[in-house]
Amino acid sequence: MTEKNIKECQKSLDFVLGWFAKPIFIDGDYPESMRSNLSSLLPEFSEAEKKYVKGTADFFALSFGATLSFQLLDSHMKFQQLESISLRQLLYWINSEYNNPQIFIVENSWFVSGTTKKDDAKYIYYLKKFIMETLKAIRYDGVNVFGYTVWSLLDGFEWHRGYSIRRGLFYVDFQSHDKKLMPKSSVLFYQKLIEKNGFPPLPENQPIEGIFPCGFAWGIVDNYIQVDTTPAQFLDSSVYLWDVHQSKKLIKVDGVYASKRKRHCVDFAAIRLQISLLQEMHVTHFHFSLKWSLILPLGNLSLINHTLVHYYQCFASELLRVNITPVVALWQPMIENQELPVSLAKYGAWENTEIVQAFVEYARFCFTSLGDHVKFWITMNEPSVKNLTYTAGHNLLKAHAKVWHLYDKEFRRSQKGKISIALQADWVEPACPFSRNDQEVADRILEFDIGWLAEPIFGNGDYPEVMRAWLHRINSVDLYNFHLPYFSEDEKKLIQGSFDFFALSHYTTTLVGSEKEDAVKYDHYLEVQMINDITWLHSPSRAAVVPWGLRKLLKWVKSKYGDVPIYVMANGIDDDQNMVHDKLRVYYIKNYINEALKAYTLDDINLQGYFVYSFNDKTAPKYGLYSYIANQYEPKPSLKQYREIIGNNGFPGPETPELLCPEEVASCPECHFFRTRKSLLAFISFVFVAFIVTIFFITYYSKRVERRYK
C-alpha cells in the first residue's frame, strides 16, 4: 500500500477499463494516466465530442471472468494484471471511480476442466463465490448492482483453449452426433439460488440458547505436558556460605552436608506454573498424553524412567488437588518414531505383532503407577489412518482391545475409572449436494477415515463392509494389491464392545466429489476429488471453519453406533500469531460449541464433554489459548471466551430454565490412601473401638471395686 503501488494499480485499471468507462461515465475524456503515458499516440476529443460521449450509458454493464484472449496477450499488454476471482474489489472500485453508477453484471463465470461432466462442484463454488461477493458489495459497500447474469448457458468452443475447458450450466457431449445436452449440478444450484433470491439464513445454522447437563466435562488439550524434572534447590544437601563482602555469591563448603530429605511434588516448579494456568481457564478436565518412548526406553520393564513417572504422578495429583480431572492417553503418534520406544519402532512398529503384548505390559505398568490418580484413560489418541497400513491398524485394534480388557478385569473395580480409544473424525460432505455419486464418495470416505477403526470396536467387531467391497473391487482389476486382514471369531469378540465411551477429535470439514477435476487433489486409490468451498472461512493453514460439520458428525456417530456416550476430545484452529484480537478462534470456539449444544438438545446426542485444542503455543504453535513469547505465557481473547462459556455451562438465555447441579465434593488426594485401603481402615477402626470399650470397662470396674472396698 505504498503511493507508488497505488498509482500503478490505478494506471492498470485505467488502461484496461477506464479507457472506455471514463469518457462515458465521467467527463468524455480519457484517463489522465493514459494521457501522460501515451501522449501523442492517444487521439483527442473535441469539446463537442466530449459532451456528446459523456453520459451515453443508462447503466454500467460489466463482464467479469476468465477472458478468452487474456493468455494470448503480450505481457506488457496485461498491465501487470492476473486472472483473479476478486469481483467485490472491482465492484467497489467502479462504484468509487464512476460516481455510484447502476451496475448490471452481464457476464460472469469461471472455467473448469474439460473432463468434468454433470457433477461440476468446482463450478458451483465459483458461482457461489461470485454471487456472494456481489451480495457483499451491495449490502456492505453500498454498490448499486441491479442484475447478474451467468456465463454461459452451454459448454462451447473456447477459442484457443478449444474443448479443454468448460463453463456452461449444461453439459454438451461434443463426441456425440447430435451434441447431446445434460443439465449439470450447477443448474440446480443456480435455480435454487434464484428461488431464494440469494443466501437467506438457514434456520439450522442459527445459534441457539441452552445449557449442557450437570457434570458436563469442559476440557483443554495438551498433546504432551511440559516435563521439567530439574531438581529443586531444596534437594541439594550441600552446605553453602554467602560471601556478602566480596563476590556476593554462595560458596560451597567441601565435605559438609546436611541431611537429605525426601522428594515432594512441590519440588517441580514447572508443574506449579502449568496448574496455575489451567486454573485460570476454569476447566474441569485436562487431557494429555504420556510418552511411551521415555517411560520405557527399551520397550519393556527392564529399564524404567522412575523420575518421569514420579513427575506424571505429581502432575496428576496436583490436578486433582485443584479439582481438575486428568484425562491421560497411553500413546499418541508423533512424527519421529511414532512416539514408540526405539526398539519397537526399529523392528516394524505396529506392523510387528510383538508390539501388541509390549503395549499391554506398558499399559499395565501405567495403570499400576498412575491409576490412583487417573480415572479417565485413552488407550490411543488420534491414530492417523492416513499413515497406517492395514496390518498396522489390525495390530493396533488388537492392542487396544487387550488393554481395555486388562483394565476391565484387573483395575476397574479398585480404581473405578473408564477407558476407550480416541479417533480423529473430520466430517466429509458431498461437494455436489444434488449428486448421488458424490454422496456415495462421501459415505465411502467416512468409512475409510472413521469406520476403519470405529466399526470393529463400536459396531460388529469387524471392518466396514464398504471397505471390504471397495478393496475387493480395486484389487480385482489388478491396479492395486491391498489386503485387509481378517479377525478370528475370538478376536472379533475381544474387540467388539471394548469401549466405555466414544472419544473423537474434530477440526474441520472437507468436500469430496466423484468427478476428477484437479490431479493434485485427486485420490486415485479411493477415486475421490477433494474440493474447496472458496466461500468458507479458512485459517492461515487453510483449514476450513465449518461449525455445522461437528453436529453432522455427532449425528452420524449416533446413527451408526447407537446412543453411546460421546466426548469431543479435541477441537481447535490455528491462528496467525500476529493477530492480536484472536477473532478467528473466538468465532470458532463459540460456534462449534453452539453446534455441539444443538446436537445435545435438538438431536438428543449423548454428549458428555468438550475439549478445546490446545493449551498453549509452546507445545502446539498457533493453536494455543495461551501465547508463548519470550518465556512468558499470555492469555488470548479466546481463553476469555471459553471461560465465559464454561461459567455459563453453555449459552443460557432469558427463557432457559435454571439447572440446579449438586455441589461437587472437593477431591482430596491425601484421602486417597484411605479410600484405596478400606479393609485396613475397617480393621483399624475395629481395633480402636475395641480398645476404647476395653478401657471403659477397665475404668468402670476399677471404680466399682474401689467403692466396694471403701
Side-chain angles (χ1 to χ4, degrees), residues 14-15 22 41 104 108 119 123 168 172 184 203 212 218 246 351 388 414 434 437 484 488 506 580 617 619 623 625 635:
D14 282 344
F15 271 78
K22 185 172 178 288
L41 292 176
F104 196 119
N108 178 226
D119 296 332
Y123 189 87
V172 178
K184 301 179 187 178
F212 289 93
W218 292 105
Q246 296 181 7
E351 296 275 336
L388 273 183
S414 61
F434 322 105
N437 291 337
L484 188 62
S488 67
H506 175 83
V580 178
D617 282 345
T619 52
Y623 282 87
L625 297 193

PDB file of all heavy atoms in Angstrom, residues 14-15 22 41 104 108 119 123 168 172 184 203 212 218 246 351 388 414 434 437 484 488 506 580 617 619 623 625 635:
ATOM      1  N   ASP A  14      -7.041   1.893 -15.297  1.00  0.00           N
ATOM      2  CA  ASP A  14      -7.338   2.928 -16.296  1.00  0.00           C
ATOM      3  C   ASP A  14      -7.147   2.392 -17.706  1.00  0.00           C
ATOM      4  O   ASP A  14      -7.970   2.629 -18.601  1.00  0.00           O
ATOM      5  CB  ASP A  14      -6.435   4.150 -16.079  1.00  0.00           C
ATOM      6  CG  ASP A  14      -6.913   5.024 -14.929  1.00  0.00           C
ATOM      7  OD1 ASP A  14      -8.071   4.871 -14.507  1.00  0.00           O
ATOM      8  OD2 ASP A  14      -6.107   5.846 -14.442  1.00  0.00           O
ATOM      9  N   PHE A  15      -6.051   1.669 -17.939  1.00  0.00           N
ATOM     10  CA  PHE A  15      -5.749   1.157 -19.277  1.00  0.00           C
ATOM     11  C   PHE A  15      -6.699   0.034 -19.691  1.00  0.00           C
ATOM     12  O   PHE A  15      -7.028  -0.113 -20.861  1.00  0.00           O
ATOM     13  CB  PHE A  15      -4.296   0.665 -19.334  1.00  0.00           C
ATOM     14  CG  PHE A  15      -3.307   1.728 -19.730  1.00  0.00           C
ATOM     15  CD1 PHE A  15      -2.886   2.690 -18.818  1.00  0.00           C
ATOM     16  CD2 PHE A  15      -2.804   1.781 -21.020  1.00  0.00           C
ATOM     17  CE1 PHE A  15      -1.976   3.667 -19.182  1.00  0.00           C
ATOM     18  CE2 PHE A  15      -1.891   2.760 -21.401  1.00  0.00           C
ATOM     19  CZ  PHE A  15      -1.474   3.711 -20.470  1.00  0.00           C
ATOM     20  N   LYS A  22     -14.247   5.962 -18.488  1.00  0.00           N
ATOM     21  CA  LYS A  22     -14.138   7.352 -18.035  1.00  0.00           C
ATOM     22  C   LYS A  22     -14.780   8.330 -19.024  1.00  0.00           C
ATOM     23  O   LYS A  22     -15.519   9.248 -18.614  1.00  0.00           O
ATOM     24  CB  LYS A  22     -12.684   7.734 -17.784  1.00  0.00           C
ATOM     25  CG  LYS A  22     -12.500   9.132 -17.189  1.00  0.00           C
ATOM     26  CD  LYS A  22     -11.049   9.377 -16.793  1.00  0.00           C
ATOM     27  CE  LYS A  22     -10.859  10.787 -16.251  1.00  0.00           C
ATOM     28  NZ  LYS A  22     -10.952  11.811 -17.310  1.00  0.00           N
ATOM     29  N   LEU A  41       0.150   9.394 -29.017  1.00  0.00           N
ATOM     30  CA  LEU A  41      -0.438   8.162 -29.564  1.00  0.00           C
ATOM     31  C   LEU A  41      -1.938   8.099 -29.305  1.00  0.00           C
ATOM     32  O   LEU A  41      -2.672   7.389 -29.998  1.00  0.00           O
ATOM     33  CB  LEU A  41       0.236   6.937 -28.935  1.00  0.00           C
ATOM     34  CG  LEU A  41       1.698   6.688 -29.291  1.00  0.00           C
ATOM     35  CD1 LEU A  41       2.249   5.501 -28.513  1.00  0.00           C
ATOM     36  CD2 LEU A  41       1.837   6.427 -30.797  1.00  0.00           C
ATOM     37  N   PHE A 104     -24.900  -3.529 -13.968  1.00  0.00           N
ATOM     38  CA  PHE A 104     -25.502  -4.809 -14.380  1.00  0.00           C
ATOM     39  C   PHE A 104     -24.353  -5.741 -14.773  1.00  0.00           C
ATOM     40  O   PHE A 104     -23.596  -5.430 -15.690  1.00  0.00           O
ATOM     41  CB  PHE A 104     -26.439  -4.597 -15.573  1.00  0.00           C
ATOM     42  CG  PHE A 104     -27.374  -5.757 -15.807  1.00  0.00           C
ATOM     43  CD1 PHE A 104     -28.747  -5.590 -15.735  1.00  0.00           C
ATOM     44  CD2 PHE A 104     -26.892  -7.030 -16.101  1.00  0.00           C
ATOM     45  CE1 PHE A 104     -29.617  -6.655 -15.954  1.00  0.00           C
ATOM     46  CE2 PHE A 104     -27.743  -8.096 -16.316  1.00  0.00           C
ATOM     47  CZ  PHE A 104     -29.120  -7.906 -16.236  1.00  0.00           C
ATOM     48  N   ASN A 108     -20.596 -13.378 -16.166  1.00  0.00           N
ATOM     49  CA  ASN A 108     -19.714 -13.721 -15.050  1.00  0.00           C
ATOM     50  C   ASN A 108     -19.623 -15.231 -14.908  1.00  0.00           C
ATOM     51  O   ASN A 108     -20.638 -15.920 -14.864  1.00  0.00           O
ATOM     52  CB  ASN A 108     -20.220 -13.112 -13.743  1.00  0.00           C
ATOM     53  CG  ASN A 108     -19.353 -13.476 -12.549  1.00  0.00           C
ATOM     54  OD1 ASN A 108     -19.847 -13.844 -11.504  1.00  0.00           O
ATOM     55  ND2 ASN A 108     -18.035 -13.396 -12.703  1.00  0.00           N
ATOM     56  N   ASP A 119     -21.411 -33.473 -12.579  1.00  0.00           N
ATOM     57  CA  ASP A 119     -21.216 -33.024 -11.198  1.00  0.00           C
ATOM     58  C   ASP A 119     -20.084 -31.998 -11.141  1.00  0.00           C
ATOM     59  O   ASP A 119     -18.953 -32.298 -10.753  1.00  0.00           O
ATOM     60  CB  ASP A 119     -20.910 -34.231 -10.295  1.00  0.00           C
ATOM     61  CG  ASP A 119     -22.087 -35.193 -10.229  1.00  0.00           C
ATOM     62  OD1 ASP A 119     -23.225 -34.729 -10.393  1.00  0.00           O
ATOM     63  OD2 ASP A 119     -21.865 -36.402 -10.012  1.00  0.00           O
ATOM     64  N   TYR A 123     -17.307 -25.618 -10.290  1.00  0.00           N
ATOM     65  CA  TYR A 123     -18.023 -24.519 -10.940  1.00  0.00           C
ATOM     66  C   TYR A 123     -19.076 -23.941  -9.992  1.00  0.00           C
ATOM     67  O   TYR A 123     -19.275 -22.720  -9.936  1.00  0.00           O
ATOM     68  CB  TYR A 123     -18.684 -25.022 -12.221  1.00  0.00           C
ATOM     69  CG  TYR A 123     -19.278 -23.939 -13.088  1.00  0.00           C
ATOM     70  CD1 TYR A 123     -18.508 -23.281 -14.034  1.00  0.00           C
ATOM     71  CD2 TYR A 123     -20.615 -23.569 -12.950  1.00  0.00           C
ATOM     72  CE1 TYR A 123     -19.058 -22.276 -14.831  1.00  0.00           C
ATOM     73  CE2 TYR A 123     -21.169 -22.566 -13.735  1.00  0.00           C
ATOM     74  CZ  TYR A 123     -20.386 -21.927 -14.673  1.00  0.00           C
ATOM     75  OH  TYR A 123     -20.920 -20.934 -15.448  1.00  0.00           O
ATOM     76  N   GLY A 168     -20.196 -23.941 -19.081  1.00  0.00           N
ATOM     77  CA  GLY A 168     -21.652 -23.921 -19.257  1.00  0.00           C
ATOM     78  C   GLY A 168     -22.404 -24.535 -18.095  1.00  0.00           C
ATOM     79  O   GLY A 168     -21.875 -25.355 -17.347  1.00  0.00           O
ATOM     80  N   VAL A 172     -22.410 -30.404 -22.698  1.00  0.00           N
ATOM     81  CA  VAL A 172     -22.546 -30.761 -24.106  1.00  0.00           C
ATOM     82  C   VAL A 172     -21.577 -31.899 -24.416  1.00  0.00           C
ATOM     83  O   VAL A 172     -20.371 -31.785 -24.178  1.00  0.00           O
ATOM     84  CB  VAL A 172     -22.234 -29.558 -25.031  1.00  0.00           C
ATOM     85  CG1 VAL A 172     -22.341 -29.986 -26.499  1.00  0.00           C
ATOM     86  CG2 VAL A 172     -23.174 -28.403 -24.742  1.00  0.00           C
ATOM     87  N   LYS A 184     -26.217 -29.776 -15.639  1.00  0.00           N
ATOM     88  CA  LYS A 184     -25.223 -30.076 -14.611  1.00  0.00           C
ATOM     89  C   LYS A 184     -25.789 -29.763 -13.221  1.00  0.00           C
ATOM     90  O   LYS A 184     -26.845 -29.136 -13.090  1.00  0.00           O
ATOM     91  CB  LYS A 184     -23.954 -29.262 -14.842  1.00  0.00           C
ATOM     92  CG  LYS A 184     -23.276 -29.487 -16.183  1.00  0.00           C
ATOM     93  CD  LYS A 184     -22.035 -28.610 -16.302  1.00  0.00           C
ATOM     94  CE  LYS A 184     -21.415 -28.671 -17.687  1.00  0.00           C
ATOM     95  NZ  LYS A 184     -20.247 -27.779 -17.827  1.00  0.00           N
ATOM     96  N   PRO A 203     -32.359 -21.827   9.029  1.00  0.00           N
ATOM     97  CA  PRO A 203     -32.738 -21.966  10.446  1.00  0.00           C
ATOM     98  C   PRO A 203     -31.797 -22.882  11.220  1.00  0.00           C
ATOM     99  O   PRO A 203     -31.463 -22.616  12.376  1.00  0.00           O
ATOM    100  CB  PRO A 203     -34.154 -22.554  10.374  1.00  0.00           C
ATOM    101  CG  PRO A 203     -34.665 -22.161   9.025  1.00  0.00           C
ATOM    102  CD  PRO A 203     -33.474 -22.144   8.126  1.00  0.00           C
ATOM    103  N   PHE A 212     -25.705 -27.124  28.858  1.00  0.00           N
ATOM    104  CA  PHE A 212     -25.336 -28.532  28.880  1.00  0.00           C
ATOM    105  C   PHE A 212     -25.719 -29.139  30.237  1.00  0.00           C
ATOM    106  O   PHE A 212     -26.027 -28.412  31.189  1.00  0.00           O
ATOM    107  CB  PHE A 212     -23.836 -28.677  28.629  1.00  0.00           C
ATOM    108  CG  PHE A 212     -23.426 -28.357  27.217  1.00  0.00           C
ATOM    109  CD1 PHE A 212     -23.003 -27.074  26.868  1.00  0.00           C
ATOM    110  CD2 PHE A 212     -23.482 -29.319  26.227  1.00  0.00           C
ATOM    111  CE1 PHE A 212     -22.635 -26.759  25.569  1.00  0.00           C
ATOM    112  CE2 PHE A 212     -23.115 -29.020  24.915  1.00  0.00           C
ATOM    113  CZ  PHE A 212     -22.688 -27.737  24.588  1.00  0.00           C
ATOM    114  N   TRP A 218     -15.767 -29.947  30.755  1.00  0.00           N
ATOM    115  CA  TRP A 218     -15.172 -28.842  29.997  1.00  0.00           C
ATOM    116  C   TRP A 218     -13.657 -28.985  30.085  1.00  0.00           C
ATOM    117  O   TRP A 218     -13.083 -28.867  31.166  1.00  0.00           O
ATOM    118  CB  TRP A 218     -15.597 -27.498  30.572  1.00  0.00           C
ATOM    119  CG  TRP A 218     -17.053 -27.198  30.371  1.00  0.00           C
ATOM    120  CD1 TRP A 218     -18.043 -27.246  31.310  1.00  0.00           C
ATOM    121  CD2 TRP A 218     -17.679 -26.789  29.156  1.00  0.00           C
ATOM    122  NE1 TRP A 218     -19.253 -26.905  30.761  1.00  0.00           N
ATOM    123  CE2 TRP A 218     -19.062 -26.609  29.428  1.00  0.00           C
ATOM    124  CE3 TRP A 218     -17.219 -26.557  27.860  1.00  0.00           C
ATOM    125  CZ2 TRP A 218     -19.970 -26.214  28.454  1.00  0.00           C
ATOM    126  CZ3 TRP A 218     -18.135 -26.162  26.890  1.00  0.00           C
ATOM    127  CH2 TRP A 218     -19.485 -25.990  27.190  1.00  0.00           C
ATOM    128  N   GLN A 246      32.561  -9.735  49.300  1.00  0.00           N
ATOM    129  CA  GLN A 246      33.311  -9.613  48.050  1.00  0.00           C
ATOM    130  C   GLN A 246      32.489 -10.074  46.834  1.00  0.00           C
ATOM    131  O   GLN A 246      31.919  -9.255  46.116  1.00  0.00           O
ATOM    132  CB  GLN A 246      34.616 -10.408  48.148  1.00  0.00           C
ATOM    133  CG  GLN A 246      35.559  -9.856  49.225  1.00  0.00           C
ATOM    134  CD  GLN A 246      36.861 -10.645  49.294  1.00  0.00           C
ATOM    135  OE1 GLN A 246      37.124 -11.513  48.473  1.00  0.00           O
ATOM    136  NE2 GLN A 246      37.681 -10.323  50.296  1.00  0.00           N
ATOM    137  N   GLU A 351       3.532 -52.738  12.599  1.00  0.00           N
ATOM    138  CA  GLU A 351       3.493 -53.845  11.635  1.00  0.00           C
ATOM    139  C   GLU A 351       3.871 -55.166  12.304  1.00  0.00           C
ATOM    140  O   GLU A 351       3.488 -56.240  11.839  1.00  0.00           O
ATOM    141  CB  GLU A 351       4.481 -53.565  10.498  1.00  0.00           C
ATOM    142  CG  GLU A 351       4.148 -52.351   9.654  1.00  0.00           C
ATOM    143  CD  GLU A 351       3.162 -52.671   8.557  1.00  0.00           C
ATOM    144  OE1 GLU A 351       3.082 -53.839   8.161  1.00  0.00           O
ATOM    145  OE2 GLU A 351       2.469 -51.746   8.114  1.00  0.00           O
ATOM    146  N   LEU A 388      -1.368 -45.236   8.337  1.00  0.00           N
ATOM    147  CA  LEU A 388      -1.436 -46.623   8.807  1.00  0.00           C
ATOM    148  C   LEU A 388      -1.577 -47.584   7.630  1.00  0.00           C
ATOM    149  O   LEU A 388      -2.364 -47.344   6.713  1.00  0.00           O
ATOM    150  CB  LEU A 388      -2.642 -46.818   9.725  1.00  0.00           C
ATOM    151  CG  LEU A 388      -2.519 -46.529  11.224  1.00  0.00           C
ATOM    152  CD1 LEU A 388      -3.825 -46.881  11.916  1.00  0.00           C
ATOM    153  CD2 LEU A 388      -1.376 -47.290  11.852  1.00  0.00           C
ATOM    154  N   SER A 414     -11.052 -51.673  41.511  1.00  0.00           N
ATOM    155  CA  SER A 414     -10.326 -50.942  42.559  1.00  0.00           C
ATOM    156  C   SER A 414     -10.149 -49.468  42.217  1.00  0.00           C
ATOM    157  O   SER A 414     -10.230 -48.606  43.098  1.00  0.00           O
ATOM    158  CB  SER A 414      -8.955 -51.587  42.786  1.00  0.00           C
ATOM    159  OG  SER A 414      -8.178 -51.541  41.597  1.00  0.00           O
ATOM    160  N   PHE A 434     -26.602 -32.305  -4.760  1.00  0.00           N
ATOM    161  CA  PHE A 434     -27.657 -32.940  -5.561  1.00  0.00           C
ATOM    162  C   PHE A 434     -27.166 -34.227  -6.230  1.00  0.00           C
ATOM    163  O   PHE A 434     -27.909 -34.855  -6.987  1.00  0.00           O
ATOM    164  CB  PHE A 434     -28.153 -31.973  -6.645  1.00  0.00           C
ATOM    165  CG  PHE A 434     -28.233 -30.544  -6.197  1.00  0.00           C
ATOM    166  CD1 PHE A 434     -27.286 -29.617  -6.615  1.00  0.00           C
ATOM    167  CD2 PHE A 434     -29.233 -30.133  -5.334  1.00  0.00           C
ATOM    168  CE1 PHE A 434     -27.349 -28.302  -6.204  1.00  0.00           C
ATOM    169  CE2 PHE A 434     -29.300 -28.816  -4.907  1.00  0.00           C
ATOM    170  CZ  PHE A 434     -28.361 -27.894  -5.338  1.00  0.00           C
ATOM    171  N   ASN A 437     -23.696 -39.669  -6.821  1.00  0.00           N
ATOM    172  CA  ASN A 437     -22.308 -40.155  -6.894  1.00  0.00           C
ATOM    173  C   ASN A 437     -21.438 -39.522  -5.813  1.00  0.00           C
ATOM    174  O   ASN A 437     -20.629 -40.185  -5.172  1.00  0.00           O
ATOM    175  CB  ASN A 437     -21.719 -39.860  -8.275  1.00  0.00           C
ATOM    176  CG  ASN A 437     -22.351 -40.682  -9.368  1.00  0.00           C
ATOM    177  OD1 ASN A 437     -22.907 -41.748  -9.110  1.00  0.00           O
ATOM    178  ND2 ASN A 437     -22.292 -40.188 -10.594  1.00  0.00           N
ATOM    179  N   LEU A 484      -6.846 -56.444   3.277  1.00  0.00           N
ATOM    180  CA  LEU A 484      -7.420 -56.091   4.570  1.00  0.00           C
ATOM    181  C   LEU A 484      -7.519 -57.368   5.391  1.00  0.00           C
ATOM    182  O   LEU A 484      -8.270 -58.281   5.034  1.00  0.00           O
ATOM    183  CB  LEU A 484      -8.803 -55.465   4.378  1.00  0.00           C
ATOM    184  CG  LEU A 484      -9.463 -54.862   5.617  1.00  0.00           C
ATOM    185  CD1 LEU A 484      -8.630 -53.712   6.164  1.00  0.00           C
ATOM    186  CD2 LEU A 484     -10.878 -54.368   5.281  1.00  0.00           C
ATOM    187  N   SER A 488     -10.171 -63.392  13.617  1.00  0.00           N
ATOM    188  CA  SER A 488     -10.789 -64.663  14.000  1.00  0.00           C
ATOM    189  C   SER A 488     -12.043 -64.354  14.819  1.00  0.00           C
ATOM    190  O   SER A 488     -12.244 -63.217  15.263  1.00  0.00           O
ATOM    191  CB  SER A 488      -9.814 -65.496  14.838  1.00  0.00           C
ATOM    192  OG  SER A 488      -9.576 -64.864  16.094  1.00  0.00           O
ATOM    193  N   HIS A 506     -12.142 -33.503  16.422  1.00  0.00           N
ATOM    194  CA  HIS A 506     -12.748 -32.931  15.217  1.00  0.00           C
ATOM    195  C   HIS A 506     -12.206 -31.528  15.004  1.00  0.00           C
ATOM    196  O   HIS A 506     -12.202 -30.706  15.925  1.00  0.00           O
ATOM    197  CB  HIS A 506     -14.272 -32.883  15.364  1.00  0.00           C
ATOM    198  CG  HIS A 506     -14.964 -32.203  14.220  1.00  0.00           C
ATOM    199  ND1 HIS A 506     -15.257 -32.858  13.041  1.00  0.00           N
ATOM    200  CD2 HIS A 506     -15.402 -30.931  14.064  1.00  0.00           C
ATOM    201  CE1 HIS A 506     -15.852 -32.004  12.207  1.00  0.00           C
ATOM    202  NE2 HIS A 506     -15.944 -30.829  12.806  1.00  0.00           N
ATOM    203  N   VAL A 580      -3.654  -9.892  16.953  1.00  0.00           N
ATOM    204  CA  VAL A 580      -3.776  -9.579  18.376  1.00  0.00           C
ATOM    205  C   VAL A 580      -5.148  -9.953  18.907  1.00  0.00           C
ATOM    206  O   VAL A 580      -5.289 -10.456  20.028  1.00  0.00           O
ATOM    207  CB  VAL A 580      -3.512  -8.069  18.612  1.00  0.00           C
ATOM    208  CG1 VAL A 580      -3.673  -7.714  20.075  1.00  0.00           C
ATOM    209  CG2 VAL A 580      -2.123  -7.700  18.111  1.00  0.00           C
ATOM    210  N   ASP A 617       0.799 -22.189  23.028  1.00  0.00           N
ATOM    211  CA  ASP A 617       1.566 -22.151  21.776  1.00  0.00           C
ATOM    212  C   ASP A 617       2.946 -22.792  21.902  1.00  0.00           C
ATOM    213  O   ASP A 617       3.588 -23.059  20.889  1.00  0.00           O
ATOM    214  CB  ASP A 617       1.735 -20.707  21.296  1.00  0.00           C
ATOM    215  CG  ASP A 617       0.476 -20.163  20.638  1.00  0.00           C
ATOM    216  OD1 ASP A 617      -0.401 -20.976  20.300  1.00  0.00           O
ATOM    217  OD2 ASP A 617       0.373 -18.936  20.469  1.00  0.00           O
ATOM    218  N   THR A 619       3.732 -25.791  23.179  1.00  0.00           N
ATOM    219  CA  THR A 619       3.677 -27.206  22.801  1.00  0.00           C
ATOM    220  C   THR A 619       2.905 -27.430  21.503  1.00  0.00           C
ATOM    221  O   THR A 619       3.083 -28.450  20.845  1.00  0.00           O
ATOM    222  CB  THR A 619       3.023 -28.031  23.927  1.00  0.00           C
ATOM    223  OG1 THR A 619       1.774 -27.432  24.291  1.00  0.00           O
ATOM    224  CG2 THR A 619       3.919 -28.079  25.154  1.00  0.00           C
ATOM    225  N   TYR A 623      -1.903 -22.865  17.944  1.00  0.00           N
ATOM    226  CA  TYR A 623      -3.187 -23.449  18.337  1.00  0.00           C
ATOM    227  C   TYR A 623      -3.587 -23.117  19.775  1.00  0.00           C
ATOM    228  O   TYR A 623      -4.708 -23.400  20.183  1.00  0.00           O
ATOM    229  CB  TYR A 623      -3.153 -24.980  18.187  1.00  0.00           C
ATOM    230  CG  TYR A 623      -3.312 -25.454  16.772  1.00  0.00           C
ATOM    231  CD1 TYR A 623      -2.217 -25.579  15.926  1.00  0.00           C
ATOM    232  CD2 TYR A 623      -4.559 -25.789  16.256  1.00  0.00           C
ATOM    233  CE1 TYR A 623      -2.352 -26.018  14.614  1.00  0.00           C
ATOM    234  CE2 TYR A 623      -4.714 -26.230  14.952  1.00  0.00           C
ATOM    235  CZ  TYR A 623      -3.605 -26.349  14.137  1.00  0.00           C
ATOM    236  OH  TYR A 623      -3.760 -26.779  12.844  1.00  0.00           O
ATOM    237  N   LEU A 625      -4.497 -21.475  23.557  1.00  0.00           N
ATOM    238  CA  LEU A 625      -5.271 -20.398  24.164  1.00  0.00           C
ATOM    239  C   LEU A 625      -4.348 -19.458  24.939  1.00  0.00           C
ATOM    240  O   LEU A 625      -4.759 -18.364  25.315  1.00  0.00           O
ATOM    241  CB  LEU A 625      -6.346 -20.955  25.106  1.00  0.00           C
ATOM    242  CG  LEU A 625      -7.435 -21.834  24.468  1.00  0.00           C
ATOM    243  CD1 LEU A 625      -8.578 -22.046  25.443  1.00  0.00           C
ATOM    244  CD2 LEU A 625      -7.959 -21.236  23.177  1.00  0.00           C
ATOM    245  N   PRO A 635      -2.570 -14.972  28.136  1.00  0.00           N
ATOM    246  CA  PRO A 635      -3.879 -15.465  27.670  1.00  0.00           C
ATOM    247  C   PRO A 635      -4.352 -14.716  26.437  1.00  0.00           C
ATOM    248  O   PRO A 635      -4.215 -13.492  26.340  1.00  0.00           O
ATOM    249  CB  PRO A 635      -4.791 -15.207  28.871  1.00  0.00           C
ATOM    250  CG  PRO A 635      -4.135 -14.106  29.635  1.00  0.00           C
ATOM    251  CD  PRO A 635      -2.662 -14.279  29.429  1.00  0.00           C
TER     252      PRO A 635
END
